[in-house]
Amino acid sequence: MADDVDFADERIEKELASALAARVVYRGESAHECECGAEISEGRRAAVPGVQDCITCAEQSALKLRGVRRG
């Protein structure tokens, strides 16, 4: 018989699978400049091969995916 812990485990697994499916996977050469015009730091380019956006734009995109709005 399933209990609350089992239901919670199932929900966590579904949410994790959804988050993994929605993540951005970069490929290719990293950009030096974001679409917004900001420079993409060397550290970010090294940490995220193929990155195309600055950290600010990446955070804003992640918030949009989660349905969170910033003031």
Side-chain angles (χ1 to χ4, degrees):
M1 178 178 229
D3 61 8
D4 290 339
V5 173
D6 292 326
F7 291 127
D9 283 344
E10 287 178 23
R11 181 174 177 183
I12 290 169
E13 286 182 30
K14 287 179 183 178
E15 288 181 9
L16 178 60
S18 176
L20 288 172
R23 77 187 189 285
V24 176
V25 179
Y26 297 104
R27 300 183 195 283
E29 187 175 335
S30 296
H32 288 267
E33 187 175 292
C34 181
E35 186 177 286
C36 73
E39 181 181 344
I40 301 173
S41 71
E42 184 176 336
R44 179 159 169 75
R45 291 194 315 269
V48 186
V51 70
Q52 299 297 308
D53 51 4
C54 67
I55 191 69
T56 302
C57 288
E59 288 174 345
Q60 289 175 352
S61 293
L63 289 173
K64 286 179 187 175
L65 285 175
R66 292 185 193 114
V68 177
R69 293 188 180 187
R70 283 196 148 168

